[in-house]
Amino acid sequence: MGKFAADPSLEAKMHQYQIVGRAAPTPKNPTPKIYRMRIFSRNVVLAKSRFWYFMKKMNKAKKSGGELLAVNELHDTSPTKVKNYGIWLRYESRTNTHNMYKEFRNVNINGAIGQLYQEMSGRHRANPGSIQIIHATTVPDEKCRREHVTEMHGGALKFPIIRKMPHAVKKLRTTFKASRPTTFVR
């Protein structure tokens, strides 16, 4: 376990895949149109399934009558820098289909998509199968619209020091003290 080992429960569970596929060539159509999609899912099996779900909706090409040409996992170029992500999505609620735009701050797009699924399940009771991500991209600071994202911008951002008190030497520590310790900054 290293110095900066992350808790596995806090890591992003989502992965981004680029899937290229088409309907199978037939005598009627020997060179069918090739489609490329960016799919977010927990693993490659679910990503392929989601690809065929969209292909069936778009051009009536099913998995049995189609072929995958490439499946690649995409990674962020700078996964250590915090960025703003804008995500356009569509989801089916109990009553209707809704379009939505949401913004998140994260170090990579997979983390932002993980945040999106958590928020959609918490605020809107949307299960992951009913969410369709239309577009996800980085957004510059000046183009951000949501207040919970814009409040984190600016170089003068400061966080309060909650506790600034050195620990007592091990031999002077006791379980019970006669006086209450002061934990605020003097």
Side-chain angles (χ1 to χ4, degrees):
M1 193 152 219
K3 188 175 179 183
F4 298 107
D7 182 7
S9 66
L10 299 174
E11 289 177 3
K13 304 264 192 307
M14 303 304 288
H15 300 276
Q16 183 182 13
Y17 297 97
Q18 175 181 278
I19 301 181
V20 183
R22 65 178 182 176
T26 59
K28 192 186 245 183
N29 187 6
T31 56
K33 191 174 178 184
I34 296 172
Y35 291 89
R36 183 182 70 187
M37 292 184 206
R38 274 174 39 198
I39 306 281
F40 294 96
S41 70
R42 288 177 178 268
N43 57 42
V44 70
V45 176
L46 294 175
K48 289 178 189 176
S49 172
R50 204 76 178 140
F51 174 79
W52 289 116
Y53 167 81
F54 288 122
M55 284 292 281
K56 195 163 50 174
K57 281 187 176 254
M58 285 192 326
N59 62 354
K60 297 182 180 176
K62 296 193 299 183
K63 184 180 178 184
S64 59
E67 60 185 4
L68 291 177
L69 303 175
V71 178
N72 305 334
E73 185 173 353
L74 302 177
H75 300 282
D76 274 359
T77 53
S78 57
T80 55
K81 184 182 167 198
V82 178
K83 296 172 281 298
N84 311 309
Y85 290 99
I87 302 168
W88 287 262
L89 68 129
R90 167 184 173 188
Y91 83 101
E92 291 176 27
S93 68
R94 294 183 185 119
T95 55
N96 207 348
T97 303
H98 307 279
N99 293 318
M100 204 175 275
Y101 170 74
K102 288 194 169 288
E103 285 179 358
F104 298 98
R105 277 176 69 80
N106 209 307
V107 291
N108 61 14
I109 197 159
N110 296 337
I113 296 294
Q115 281 181 292
L116 168 83
Y117 277 107
Q118 290 291 330
E119 184 171 316
M120 290 302 292
S121 65
R123 286 184 197 247
H124 304 283
R125 300 288 185 261
N127 63 334
S130 68
I131 298 170
Q132 297 177 5
I133 296 167
I134 298 166
H135 184 57
T137 184
T138 55
V139 181
D141 288 356
E142 59 274 1
K143 295 268 178 87
C144 287
R145 297 185 249 175
R146 303 295 184 252
E147 191 178 333
H148 69 92
V149 173
T150 56
E151 72 183 1
M152 303 302 281
H153 297 161
L157 186 66
K158 291 184 179 178
F159 295 99
I161 298 172
I162 305 299
R163 179 179 171 163
K164 189 178 180 181
M165 190 178 107
H167 283 294
V169 184
K170 187 81 171 174
K171 67 179 184 178
L172 298 177
R173 285 185 208 166
T174 59
T175 308
F176 303 105
K177 279 281 182 208
S179 60
R180 195 184 229 357
T182 54
T183 58
F184 58 88
V185 180
R186 293 182 189 127

